[in-house]
C-alpha cells in the first residue's frame, strides 16, 4: 500500500468527525500484554490519526505519530476486560487486537458509533438502502441511470442526432418559384438597338473635325 506522507499530514489537520484523548495498546496473540499509552486520536473520513501528547495534555508536534485505515475491520465493545470503558478494533486476516480505553461509557459509545460509520463499506451499504427505498417509491436510481447513459458513446449520440431530425423542431416548407426568374442586371450594350456606324459623322458625310482633332 503506497501512502503519500505529505497528503496524510495535510489530511490529519482537516476537521474531525470525532477526536479526543484515549488510552491505546495493541494485543498480539501469544505475546505479553503491552501497557496502555495515552494519545490524542482524531477521526477524519476513514482515517484514524493519533498524536503524541505534551505535558499540558495537548497535541505534541505538528505531525501524527501514526494512522489506522478503517477498512475491512470490525468495531465492538470489549468483553474480555482488556481495558476500562474499552472497545476493540480488529481487522480481517489479522489476529492483533487494537484496544482503546476511554474515560467514560458515553465516550466509548460515541467512538464506537463514529468508527463503525467511517468505512467506505458502510457508506456503500447506506447507499444501497437508500436506493432500494427510492425504487420502492417509484423513483429511478441515479446510479443505474448513470450506468445506462454512459454505455452510449458521444460519437454514437452525434451520429444519431445527425441522421434523425429533431421531432421537437418543425420542418420548414419547400420554397416554390413563381414565374421566371427576374433579371437584376441589364447591360446597356445590347444588340437590339445597335449604334449606327455613322453616329460620329456629320450630315455632309465628312468626319467630325472636332473628334479628329481631339
Amino acid at each position: 500500500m503506497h501512502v503519500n506522507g505529505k497528503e496524510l499530514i495535510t489530511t490529519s489537520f482537516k476537521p474531525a468527525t470525532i477526536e479526543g484523548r484515549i488510552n491505546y495498546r495493541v494485543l498480539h496473540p501469544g505475546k505479553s500484554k503491552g501497557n496502555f499509552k495515552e494519545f490524542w486520536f482524531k477521526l477524519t473520513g476513514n482515517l484514524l490519526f493519533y498524536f503524541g501528547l505534551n505535558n499540558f495534555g495537548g497535541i505534541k508536534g505538528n505531525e501524527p505519530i501514526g494512522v489506522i485505515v478503517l477498512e475491512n475491520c470490525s468495531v465492538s465493545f470489549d468483553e474480555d476486560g482488556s481495558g476500562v470503558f474499552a472497545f476493540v478494533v480488529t481487522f480481517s486476516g489479522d489476529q492483533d487486537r487494537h484496544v482503546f480505553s476511554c474515560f467514560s461509557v458515553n465516550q466509548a459509545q460515541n467512538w464506537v458509533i463514529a468508527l463503525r460509520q467511517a468505512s467506505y463499506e458502510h457508506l456503500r451499504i447506506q447507499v444501497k438502502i437508500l436506493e432500494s427505498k427510492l425504487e420502492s417509491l417509484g423513483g429511478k436510481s441515479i446510479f443505474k441511470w448513470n450506468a445506462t447513459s454512459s454505455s452510449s458513446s458521444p460519437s454514437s449520440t452525434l451520429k444519431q442526432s445527425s441522421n434523425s431530425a429533431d421531432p421537437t423542431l418543425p420542418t420548414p416548407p419547400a420554397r416554390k418559384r413563381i414565374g421566371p426568374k427576374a433579371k437584376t442586371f441589364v447591360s446597356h450594350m445590347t444588340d437590339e438597338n445597335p449604334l449606327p456606324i455613322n453616329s460620329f459623322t456629320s450630315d455632309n458625310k465628312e468626319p467630325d473635325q472636332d473628334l479628329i482633332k481631339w
Side-chain angles (χ1 to χ4, degrees):
M1 182 179 182
H2 299 280
V3 178
N4 189 320
K6 292 183 179 180
E7 289 185 2
L8 277 180
I9 294 175
T10 302
T11 305
S12 67
F13 287 98
K14 290 184 178 180
T17 305
I18 187 174
E19 61 181 325
R21 293 163 51 190
I22 305 179
N23 294 307
Y24 170 69
R25 70 178 178 178
V26 181
L27 298 180
H28 304 282
K31 295 183 179 181
S32 59
K33 296 182 179 180
N35 296 326
F36 280 103
K37 189 174 182 179
E38 190 176 15
F39 296 96
W40 184 275
F41 282 89
K42 183 176 182 180
L43 177 63
T44 303
N46 65 338
L47 301 176
L48 180 60
F49 296 95
Y50 53 99
F51 300 79
L53 298 177
N54 55 30
N55 296 331
F56 301 97
I59 295 178
K60 181 180 180 180
N62 297 324
E63 298 180 3
I65 296 176
V67 59
I68 301 174
V69 182
L70 297 172
E71 295 295 337
N72 298 321
C73 65
S74 62
V75 183
S76 59
F77 291 100
D78 178 40
E79 298 179 355
D80 300 332
S82 301
V84 180
F85 308 124
F87 61 90
V88 180
V89 177
T90 56
F91 294 87
S92 59
D94 189 359
Q95 296 182 355
D96 292 343
R97 301 173 71 245
H98 300 259
V99 183
F100 300 82
S101 179
C102 300
F103 297 94
S104 65
V105 176
N106 290 335
Q107 184 188 20
Q109 290 177 345
N110 292 335
W111 273 98
V112 168
I113 293 173
L115 295 179
R116 285 177 176 176
Q117 297 177 353
S119 66
Y120 286 117
E121 179 64 21
H122 176 268
L123 295 178
R124 188 181 67 85
I125 294 174
Q126 294 299 314
V127 168
K128 281 191 171 183
I129 294 174
L130 294 175
E131 184 180 6
S132 60
K133 289 182 178 180
L134 179 62
E135 291 179 348
S136 65
L137 296 174
K140 186 176 182 181
S141 173
I142 185 174
F143 303 101
K144 292 183 179 179
W145 181 85
N146 285 336
T148 305
S149 61
S150 61
S151 61
S152 59
S153 61
S155 59
S156 62
T157 305
L158 180 60
K159 290 180 180 178
Q160 292 176 2
S161 60
S162 60
N163 295 333
S164 59
D166 190 349
T168 60
L169 298 177
T171 304
R175 306 179 77 179
K176 296 181 181 181
R177 178 179 295 179
I178 302 176
K181 184 177 181 181
K183 294 183 178 180
T184 58
F185 174 77
V186 179
S187 175
H188 66 282
M189 300 295 294
T190 61
D191 295 336
E192 297 178 357
N193 298 314
L195 293 175
I197 297 175
N198 59 354
S199 60
F200 294 102
T201 59
S202 60
D203 295 338
N204 56 2
K205 310 300 180 180
E206 295 293 334
D208 194 340
Q209 297 298 326
D210 294 335
L211 291 177
I212 294 174
K213 292 180 180 180
W214 179 84

